[in-house]
Amino acid sequence: MNLVRILFSYLVQFVLGLRYRVRVGGTADAIKQPGPYLILPSHPAYMDPPNVIAHLWRTFRMRPMLLETNFESPILAPLAWLLRAIKVPETEKASAEARQRAAQSVQEVITALKAGDNVVLWPSGTLSRNGKDSLGAARTAADVLKAVPEATLVLVRTRGLWGSSFSWAYAKKPRLVPMLFRGIRQLFANLILFSPRRRVAMRLESFAAKDRPEPTREKLNPWLEAWYNADGGEQPTFVPYHFLFGPRTIEFPPPVQGADLDVSKVKPQTIEMVKEIVEQQLKRPLTPEENKAETTFAQLGLDSLEGMEIALQVEQRSGFSSDLVPTGLGQLWALADGLLDSGPPKPAPKEWFAPPSDTRPLEILGETVAEAFVNRVGANRREIAAADDLAGAVTYEKLFVGATAMAARFRDLPGDNVGLLLPASVAADLAFLGLHLANKLPVALNWTTGPANLEHAAKLMKLSRVVTSKKFIDRTQIEVPGTQFVFLEDVRATMGKFELLRRLLGLRFLSGFAKRKALGGVNTDPQRPAVVLFTSGSEKAPKAVPLTHANIIADMRGATPPQELTRADSVLGFLPMFHSFGLTIAGLFPLLAGAKVVHHPDPTDASSLARKAAAYKPTIIISTPTFVGFILNRCKPGDLDSLRLIVVGAEKCPDDIFRRVKELAPHASVLEGYGVTECAPCVAVNPVSKVKHGTIGKPLPNVTVCVVDLESGEKLPPNKMGLLLVSGPTVFPGYIGYEGESPFRDLDGVRWYVTGDLAALDDDGYIVFHGRLKRFLKAGGEMISLPALEEPLARMFPATDDGPRVAVEGIERDGGRLIVLFTTEEIALRDANAALQKEGFRGVMRLDEVRKVDAIPVLGTGKTDYKVLRAKLTEAKP
């Protein structure tokens, strides 16, 4: 193999020589030092690694450390194998797995050097942005030299490549693969032999341990930067692309500076939260001079892996996320407040815009989820059903093929109930439908409630398996104690192309047989549960809510007339499956009724959602006001022009949302509605033909509501506030494994569900919402149990003879919720939230403020008087 590598190095050197004239100096002096050699080149452009490897390999025969994403294609993958490359993962995206594997790559470098191999790696880890090398807080070189002090350090300074199309000299990131193809075209345009040559100089110098600084990044990195930039860096050099045609000179733009970031919208409490997390990583306080938006991780002495760790902590604490890893405090602030841009979503496939075969009102073609899906496949087999960035646009027949193939695997899973832990996506659709076709009951798990509640859900529903995704678990680090994960990536790997083709051909040419086979063995009773969701009130443990097929189908059929939905509509869906609104209305409804749905996995990624709306041009957004507000904050004029309906529920819609929708989505009507998980979930919605602002709509055509007096239980006349009750086919049959007070009440021979909400019916039958009885708030459509937040803090600070020492109370405001810890002790907000995070609370489940009080108010019974605390918050309400 060494002979093959030598011949290969000659070949690569010859090919590169058609464009580059490389002069190498200092090699003889460098090898006077004994090996093994750790070779650290500067990094002005993408083309210095192949030139360095080609011209130095015959001398050092080194193993290169290379970015694995550059070698994923079948063309380049053999090169990494031939060179015995040590692959390092991409670290520009936050990932716990990437962080771990990057550490493993560094250990592999150390092992190779100790075994006597020579290794070449690029210590900055990134291309030069301005003609100079900057290592910042990169730690790889220091860590390796600390572990292998006997290695001889060989530095390589490359000059002449800054200014090529493979560098940042044009003030934008070069795209490697497109530039490679462009280079090949230019090579042939120059008749191969006549390409103008770029003159490149490489200077080598070696250093034994005694001749270099001690291996800490604080001392080594400045020394390396001084050596690389000893000549002051370099000015960009332009080399003509063709020996006869094209420009002979060019004016380069100014060097890239840090991107401007508007942090004026960042909340002060967000800056404080980020400061706490960064200080925990640094193990020291931030100075006022450091705690500024322009401060970078490198200036704080943090490398890219430490920055990734901080970003993941911020994501878990704030509930927001981004594809890109922030590089400084300002970007962290923006991430924590949902203001950080992600990369743009993929453009919509052209087939997405194919018109439907008809524009009839939406219709559910069956009495169970499986039957309705299979019948819809038969009616619209070749039409688009769903889309996302990963799967593209998927037709009903492809959805059928994937779901039946998954069902064949899911049937072998132990137990009748299977957990489901996936964000909104085509994969989630396939898994949900596959479980139904396998005659399994999906149990949608809410990963934001923490491991204790997930463990409770698993035990209650007797779960042994949870269907999820490796990528999702890597990002969130979620655990479901007592269960095993079934990764969709592993399930997909067992599906051969022949099997999928056989299923597709069977559907196309033996449609009736294929549909009967898919439904064979599936229980067709519409009164059996179709899904189990979980909801939290003021109790410690979440309650299991089984929604039957009849509940879900009735809710979908009832929601169609008031919103005047047709098959010409398309939906932007991004609420997760554990959210009843997201599962039944925003996700499952369009699939079964014949409207397209495009998914996005992260409801907090407002920037990408705005761009996705602009790309896919949906007509409907079904969401919560919180997430709609995020999108409105990030969209540009024109992004939402396609919308005709914005359906909001799960929390009160602020007046500001209505005003901003008129400005940014001028063709859309905001339909405010009301729902609860126990009612599948939609109870009422404003009809599109007669919206009444200030109400949460009229009950669905097949739903009955009434308002009763809180004390007597008697029905109240219009415009009188009382307790809201709901009856109809959408109401669930009752909680699973729950021994508390019944959620139902018999009145006038009818069984009613007690919502626990205060409302009134106006003269036209519209519901006017007045508030909630139980001690919970809602943010982003998710219930926040105040007792659940209080309980771990009460364990830390138990009551004494003088009374309770902690209490949690909160209110909902137009500007967002306010959750406060009242305490008689000295407790920092950072420490209180850290305790909650340790308990597994994530995202919206956090405190916003700590208030020191002389005593916690109590009732005559000795219990905390939350009304007094709530009054304190209301008094301060802006």
Side-chain angles (χ1 to χ4, degrees), residues 576-712:
M577 209 167 252
F578 65 72
H579 194 298
S580 59
F581 205 25
L583 172 66
T584 61
I585 302 299
L588 198 57
F589 184 23
L591 280 182
L592 302 186
K596 296 177 291 191
V597 56
V598 55
H599 294 295
H600 191 73
D602 184 358
T604 70
D605 186 6
S607 177
S608 289
L609 282 167
R611 296 178 205 169
K612 185 160 282 186
Y616 281 82
K617 303 187 185 308
T619 62
I620 301 172
I621 285 180
I622 301 173
S623 180
T624 68
T626 295
F627 294 133
V628 170
F630 294 157
I631 295 172
L632 294 172
N633 286 340
R634 305 300 284 164
C635 72
K636 301 187 298 293
D639 284 353
L640 308 181
D641 282 356
S642 64
L643 293 175
R644 75 175 187 89
L645 293 179
I646 298 178
V647 185
V648 294
E651 61 189 18
K652 179 176 173 55
C653 187
D655 292 340
D656 184 58
I657 295 291
F658 290 90
R659 178 185 60 79
R660 292 164 63 205
V661 165
K662 287 183 179 179
E663 298 173 1
L664 296 168
H667 310 298
S669 298
V670 178
L671 305 184
E672 189 170 6
Y674 168 79
V676 287
T677 300
E678 291 86 345
C679 296
C682 190
V683 172
V685 68
N686 269 275
V688 67
S689 59
K690 194 176 181 180
V691 174
K692 183 176 281 192
H693 189 59
T695 76
I696 50 176
K698 299 184 71 172
L700 300 186
N702 54 355
V703 171
T704 304
V705 302
C706 73
V707 176
V708 300
D709 185 83
L710 287 172
E711 295 182 2
S712 68

Side-chain angles (χ1 to χ4, degrees), residues 357-358 360 365 372-383 396 511 515 567 592 594:
S357 57
D358 63 78
R360 291 179 294 183
L365 305 176
F373 169 63
V374 170
N375 288 340
R376 178 56 62 188
V377 171
N380 306 107
R381 178 170 55 85
R382 303 295 289 271
E383 297 184 38
Y396 276 102
S511 177
K515 290 188 291 183
R567 294 202 62 239
L592 302 186

Side-chain angles (χ1 to χ4, degrees), residues 401-402 405-407 409 490-500:
V401 168
M406 283 192 179
R409 277 79 182 165
D490 295 339
V491 175
R492 179 63 181 85
T494 66
M495 301 177 188
K497 291 183 178 179
F498 177 76
E499 177 194 352
L500 298 177

Side-chain angles (χ1 to χ4, degrees), residues 84-128:
R84 297 188 301 152
I86 299 170
K87 296 181 183 179
V88 62
E90 178 69 70
T91 58
E92 288 188 358
K93 296 184 178 181
S95 165
E97 181 187 9
R99 188 173 70 246
Q100 179 182 4
R101 290 178 52 232
Q104 293 172 347
S105 299
V106 173
Q107 185 58 48
E108 190 174 350
V109 169
I110 293 171
T111 302
L113 286 169
K114 288 183 175 180
D117 289 332
N118 302 323
V119 176
V120 56
L121 62 87
W122 283 259
S124 65
T126 58
L127 293 178
S128 170

Side-chain angles (χ1 to χ4, degrees), residues 859-878:
L859 299 167
T861 59
K863 295 183 178 180
T864 300
D865 190 345
Y866 293 103
K867 290 181 180 179
V868 173
L869 298 178
R870 194 176 304 116
K872 292 179 180 294
L873 301 182
T874 305
E875 291 168 5
K877 183 177 177 181

Side-chain angles (χ1 to χ4, degrees), residues 76-233:
L76 297 179
L79 298 183
W81 171 82
L82 182 66
L83 295 170
R84 297 188 301 152
I86 299 170
K87 296 181 183 179
V88 62
E90 178 69 70
T91 58
E92 288 188 358
K93 296 184 178 181
S95 165
E97 181 187 9
R99 188 173 70 246
Q100 179 182 4
R101 290 178 52 232
Q104 293 172 347
S105 299
V106 173
Q107 185 58 48
E108 190 174 350
V109 169
I110 293 171
T111 302
L113 286 169
K114 288 183 175 180
D117 289 332
N118 302 323
V119 176
V120 56
L121 62 87
W122 283 259
S124 65
T126 58
L127 293 178
S128 170
R129 298 297 198 271
N130 55 11
K132 297 181 179 180
D133 272 73
S134 175
L135 274 71
R139 64 189 305 163
T140 301
D143 287 349
V144 171
L145 288 173
K146 184 177 181 180
V148 195
E150 67 273 16
T152 294
L153 180 61
V154 177
L155 302 185
V156 182
R157 182 167 52 230
T158 302
R159 292 292 181 262
L161 290 174
W162 178 248
S164 82
S165 57
F166 290 94
S167 71
W168 270 86
Y170 293 90
K172 59 182 180 180
K173 183 178 180 179
R175 299 172 61 198
L176 178 59
V177 175
M179 299 312 302
L180 281 174
F181 282 105
R182 178 185 174 188
I184 293 172
R185 292 196 303 269
Q186 290 171 352
L187 191 66
F188 282 98
N190 281 286
L191 304 178
I192 299 180
L193 299 177
F194 300 102
S195 294
R197 267 52 167 191
R198 177 176 287 276
R199 298 184 181 276
V200 179
M202 294 182 190
R203 178 65 188 173
L204 277 64
E205 189 172 352
S206 62
F207 300 87
K210 63 182 178 60
D211 301 320
R212 61 191 188 231
E214 63 177 287
T216 65
R217 59 182 175 181
E218 291 79 13
K219 295 186 177 181
L220 181 65
N221 288 2
W223 180 76
L224 290 173
E225 288 179 356
W227 192 90
Y228 291 137
N229 304 319
D231 54 1

Side-chain angles (χ1 to χ4, degrees), residues 94-98 100-101 312 390 406 420-423 425 427-428 431 466-479 484-494:
S95 165
E97 181 187 9
Q100 179 182 4
R101 290 178 52 232
L312 288 171
L390 186 61
M406 283 192 179
L420 204 53
L421 197 67
L422 289 166
S425 59
V466 174
V467 175
T468 186
S469 156
K470 286 182 179 178
K471 185 176 181 181
F472 177 73
I473 296 300
D474 168 60
R475 186 64 175 265
T476 61
Q477 297 294 289
I478 299 295
E479 296 179 359
Q484 294 181 23
F485 285 147
V486 177
F487 293 116
L488 288 180
E489 293 89 341
D490 295 339
V491 175
R492 179 63 181 85
T494 66

